[in-house]
Amino acid sequence: MKILVINAGSSSVKFTLFDMDQDVWLAKGLIERMKSPAASLKYSNHLGQKMEKNIVANSYEAAISAACLALCDNEYGVIGSLEVIVGIGHRVVHGGAEVSGSLRLTPEVKQTILDCYALAPLHNPPNYEGIEACEFLFPEIPQVAVFDTAFHQTMPAEAYTYAIPAAVTAQHKLRRYGFHGTSHHYVALAGAKALGRDIKECKLITAHLGNGCSITAINQGRVADTSMGVTPLEGLVMGTRCGDVDPALVLFLCRAGHSVDDVDKLLNKSSGLLGLAGIGSGDMRDIITAADGRNAAAKLALDVFIHRLQKYVGAYAAVLNGFDALIFTGGIGENSARIRTLVCERLGYLGIELDPAKNRANEIVISRNATGPKVMAVPTNEELMIARETARLLS
Ligand code: AMP
């Protein structure tokens, strides 16, 4: 059973072809700088072959067609014909308050995605265009939408409700939606499995630390709380996003003469590690290098990042009334033994103790065999989760 996964962004399309009989990927690629003369395709397959070339990709149809040509290419391809693809799974960021699981695409589901444009203006429009392109190119192949927000719909009202007038909440559909849901769900399932337990028996804290960062408390397979809110700006410190600030700070800046668009850009694109460190990069590797080189602003950026993370783990330990495992994922969470050490050495009171050798080696379980909560580094795989969801809905 071959499933194609599409993640359509504003100027890029990521694609992965899976063989779900084996639960493995066969080929994957990235089309970048769409709609520009510099559009390019990077592609690799499970045999280790790679190719990169400039392409013409003035539309999502053109970009996805280029992906399909690569999949069927004589030299680099992994399938003889597109007819073997039985389903296409799409990453969709926002499903609003009504969507609590993956859905086969119908006109009604597409309307739901359109209805959520205001809630995810940067993500839902390209996600939708990717769906329309695939429907145009492959009218016979069933398609599925897998929503970043869906897993978080299991959250209780006390965690997702903002303490503002209920009528305003209802009018504008304001609530904690949460994001990275597919990743949190995937690593929670994989982490529980690695512990030899069922997710329904575990209390887990999953920290997705990449360019965007979010943390989720999961109680017996259901989300108890998550750090991102009505938008992906709330919560942890991120590469360019500020995470939690006093909401009055926004009012203060507007009254001080900044336009709403200015403040939006400032908090989403110029803040976080980038804004704090002032070294022209929000990439954690650059921040660590600068901090180690005695750059005081970079050191402060690192400290603020770790402090916020420590605070959330403590809060979620309280929300869960204790927990079985803290799971790190995302580019930083999976790869940075240093960041995991910096936060875990502040969590000793919870019974957490890292095994330095296992941590350095990025093993799955990186804590000592003590009685306290386990600490894990679990590589996320949102594409595989989308493929599994697509296969599940189609079979
Ligand atoms: P992602 O958005 O999940 O691709 O993660 C990107 C982030 O992961 C960037 O901030 C990278 O600097 C960070 N990252 C990747 N590898 C490492 C590493 N070995 N140490 C520290 N940060 C890393």
Side-chain angles (χ1 to χ4, degrees), residues 208-212 273 282-286 288 330-333 335-337 339:
H208 179 111
L209 309 177
N211 275 320
L273 297 172
D283 188 297
M284 183 55 93
R285 284 163 294 199
D286 298 334
I288 291 174
I332 301 170
N335 298 305
S336 181
I339 294 294

Side-chain angles (χ1 to χ4, degrees), residues 110-394:
K110 286 175 68 184
Q111 186 58 47
T112 303
I113 298 169
L114 283 172
D115 292 343
C116 292
Y117 269 26
L119 292 167
L122 300 180
H123 295 100
N124 269 32
N127 297 162
Y128 186 87
E129 288 194 51
I131 290 167
E132 293 242 292
C134 286
E135 286 179 337
F136 175 77
L137 292 168
F138 312 109
E140 309 299 329
I141 303 181
Q143 316 220 10
V144 166
V146 180
F147 297 86
D148 272 18
T149 49
F151 181 47
H152 297 303
Q153 289 296 317
T154 55
M155 213 178 343
E158 63 186 29
Y160 70 66
T161 305
Y162 288 117
I164 59 173
V168 177
T169 295
Q171 186 188 352
H172 297 288
K173 299 183 181 164
L174 300 175
R175 52 167 283 169
R176 179 177 306 290
Y177 286 105
F179 297 87
H180 294 142
T182 309
S183 174
H184 287 288
H185 197 186
Y186 177 85
V187 298
L189 288 166
K193 193 170 170 199
L195 293 177
R197 311 219 355 223
D198 191 286
I199 190 173
K200 294 215 165 77
E201 298 164 359
C202 300
K203 294 191 213 175
L204 304 168
I205 299 177
T206 51
H208 179 111
L209 309 177
N211 275 320
C213 300
S214 66
I215 183 163
T216 297
I218 302 168
N219 193 358
Q220 299 176 328
R222 299 175 70 82
V223 171
D225 206 345
T226 192
S227 60
M228 284 179 166
V230 67
T231 76
L233 184 58
E234 193 179 346
L236 299 174
V237 177
M238 313 183 209
T240 63
R241 283 173 255 167
C242 58
D244 294 339
V245 290
D246 180 346
L249 178 145
V250 176
L251 309 178
F252 183 94
L253 288 174
C254 288
R255 289 191 185 116
H258 292 268
S259 70
V260 171
D261 285 347
D262 268 358
V263 178
D264 186 345
K265 204 166 152 217
L266 183 126
L267 300 179
N268 275 292
K269 304 253 188 251
S270 318
S271 294
L273 297 172
L274 175 74
L276 284 169
I279 57 168
S281 169
D283 188 297
M284 183 55 93
R285 284 163 294 199
D286 298 334
I287 303 295
I288 291 174
T289 305
D292 288 347
R294 294 174 191 260
N295 178 317
K299 170 77 171 57
L300 178 63
L302 198 54
D303 290 346
V304 176
F305 182 92
I306 297 295
H307 173 84
R308 186 82 53 86
L309 192 50
Q310 172 196 12
K311 197 159 101 172
Y312 265 95
V313 175
Y316 286 177
V319 164
L320 292 171
N321 196 13
F323 61 102
D324 301 300
L326 168 62
I327 302 176
F328 289 99
T329 193
I332 301 170
E334 291 167 27
N335 298 305
S336 181
R338 174 81 171 275
I339 294 294
R340 295 189 301 250
T341 303
L342 287 173
V343 66
C344 287
E345 64 192 14
R346 298 179 179 203
L347 300 173
Y349 75 100
L350 291 169
I352 278 181
E353 196 184 352
L354 282 187
D355 180 314
K358 290 181 180 169
N359 186 35
R360 270 196 305 279
N362 293 331
E363 289 188 15
I364 300 282
V365 178
I366 55 175
S367 50
R368 285 192 202 281
N369 287 332
T371 48
K374 301 273 184 294
V375 184
M376 310 178 81
V378 179
T380 194
N381 197 337
E382 291 164 275
E383 283 76 17
L384 178 56
M385 191 76 189
I386 293 170
R388 284 181 183 161
E389 284 290 281
T390 305
R392 182 177 66 79
L393 283 191
L394 297 183

Side-chain angles (χ1 to χ4, degrees), residues 12-25:
S12 69
V13 174
K14 277 191 207 162
F15 62 96
T16 313
L17 182 70
F18 287 92
D19 179 352
M20 296 314 291
D21 300 322
Q22 315 290 334
D23 215 31
V24 295
W25 68 278

